[in-house]
Amino acid sequence: MRIALDIMGGDHAPAAMVEGALQAAEEWSDTELILLGPAKKFEALLKGRLPANLSLKAVEEWITAEEEPVRAIRRKKGSTIVVGCRMVREGEADAFISAGNTGALMAAGTMVTGRLDGIARPALAPMFPTLDGKGMLVLDVGANPEARPEHLEQYALMGSIYAERVLGFKKPRVGLLNIGTEEGKGTTLTKESFERIRVLPVHFIGNVEARDLLDGGCDVLVCDGFTGNVLLKNTEGVAKAVFGRLKEELTRSPATKLAAAILKPGLKRFAKEMDYKEHGGAPLLGLIRPVVKAHGSSDTRAVYNAVCQARRFVERNVIKEISEELQRLGRG
């Protein structure tokens, strides 16, 4: 298996990307990791360390977080994101991972790698933390801010297959994000999407409210990209604020510091369960080849987990499963 990795994407690039790749190469000797980025960056970071299953592909151009996505991939055809998407399309790599510009990766995935027949809009599908530690797949979270009912229908089908094949959920529960659980609630989009999803060969449990998500209200949550992005960022902000305030309170006095020492093991377990780094990245579902978007703040651990996720994506033939299901439904 060959996995291409963009070392120039993300807040901690390129160091975190290279270190994460080295850890992954050591863990999985049956997987070749192809690092994409400037040659000088490689030399400085590897310091002579080059496992047999890690190779370098010199790519001297990359897309920054501030650049307009479509314009950037057209201007920078030799950038790490475009080269990586081209590699998976042409079979030079089995999967591609980048923590870089999300919009550019989405645009390159659609325009360079290509969409599956029967999929109108690919979806970005990260894991959302839940209190039971299992997590929940959410799609879409920003790839398509303005969605139509047929898009949400496709998200439900792809999300269910991915959750079962890659994440290990048995008969994953698919929910539609809405302002109430009753049928007929919500906007025209959610009402029409509800009718489309209910006839799919998935375990659809109906509408789900945002307040039930942390309790694990469903395994796959379907929503338009605008709503999903707001949900994800609000949850990240609340978690950051709560943990920050908790730290302040637990270090306020000698008594609270003693309590903190007693609570520390439990708090560390809880923090790990709620940490995005443990989930690796978000697949772009709907493309003809596996492409994974790692979190922009990915550290070494997150990169390692993204490689793990990409391996499962390839090994379990998720794209073939989605394509065959679309054909069975007469939509591929």
Side-chain angles (χ1 to χ4, degrees), residues 49-175:
R49 299 171 295 169
L50 191 60
N53 59 328
L54 190 148
S55 60
L56 313 177
K57 186 178 179 68
V59 180
E60 303 300 325
E61 199 171 32
W62 63 93
I63 296 171
T64 66
E66 296 76 25
E67 293 182 78
E68 195 282 321
V70 176
R71 185 180 299 115
I73 66 167
R74 286 175 174 162
R75 283 180 50 245
K76 296 183 174 181
K77 291 182 169 57
S79 63
T80 51
I81 284 178
V82 176
V83 170
C85 286
R86 189 183 304 125
M87 287 176 68
V88 289
R89 183 195 69 195
E90 296 176 355
E92 295 178 35
D94 299 301
F96 173 53
I97 302 169
S98 176
N101 186 312
T102 302
L105 185 63
M106 185 67 197
T110 304
M111 299 166 66
V112 178
T113 304
R115 291 179 286 110
L116 281 170
D117 289 339
I119 298 297
R121 300 272 184 87
L124 188 61
M127 286 296 288
F128 184 95
T130 56
L131 295 175
D132 59 9
K134 295 179 181 178
M136 172 180 61
L137 190 71
V138 182
L139 63 170
D140 177 34
V141 297
N144 303 293
E146 297 182 15
R148 299 195 298 268
E150 58 266 33
H151 300 155
L152 270 62
E153 176 189 22
Q154 292 162 12
Y155 299 166
L157 182 66
M158 294 190 295
S160 178
I161 292 171
Y162 186 87
E164 183 171 6
R165 299 287 291 180
V166 174
L167 304 177
F169 288 102
K170 293 182 178 179
K171 199 178 179 182
R173 300 164 298 153
V174 178

Side-chain angles (χ1 to χ4, degrees), residues 116 147 195 278 332:
L116 281 170
E195 295 303 320
E278 295 302 313

Side-chain angles (χ1 to χ4, degrees), residues 283-298:
L284 287 178
L285 295 178
L287 302 180
I288 62 172
R289 297 287 186 270
V291 174
V292 174
K293 171 64 177 74
H295 198 287
S297 298
S298 290

Side-chain angles (χ1 to χ4, degrees), residues 203-252:
H203 183 199
F204 183 48
I205 61 170
N207 293 322
V208 178
E209 293 187 79
R211 66 184 177 186
D212 298 322
L213 299 182
L214 282 175
D215 291 325
C218 60
D219 304 313
V220 178
L221 182 71
V222 176
C223 56
D224 64 89
F226 183 90
T227 304
N229 194 275
V230 171
L231 170 71
L232 197 66
K233 289 178 178 176
N234 178 68
T235 304
E236 287 180 344
V238 170
K240 183 178 179 181
V242 169
F243 278 110
R245 187 58 188 272
L246 188 60
K247 184 177 180 180
E248 287 180 12
E249 292 298 326
L250 290 175
T251 56
R252 189 177 294 277

Side-chain angles (χ1 to χ4, degrees), residues 28-45:
W28 297 292
S29 60
D30 61 342
T31 299
E32 179 188 355
L33 294 173
I34 308 167
L35 307 189
L36 311 181
K40 289 184 179 178
K41 299 285 186 183
F42 291 135
E43 295 167 5
L45 293 166

Side-chain angles (χ1 to χ4, degrees), residues 14-27:
M17 311 306 290
V18 172
E19 287 299 325
L22 285 167
Q23 288 187 13
E26 183 178 346
E27 177 72 20

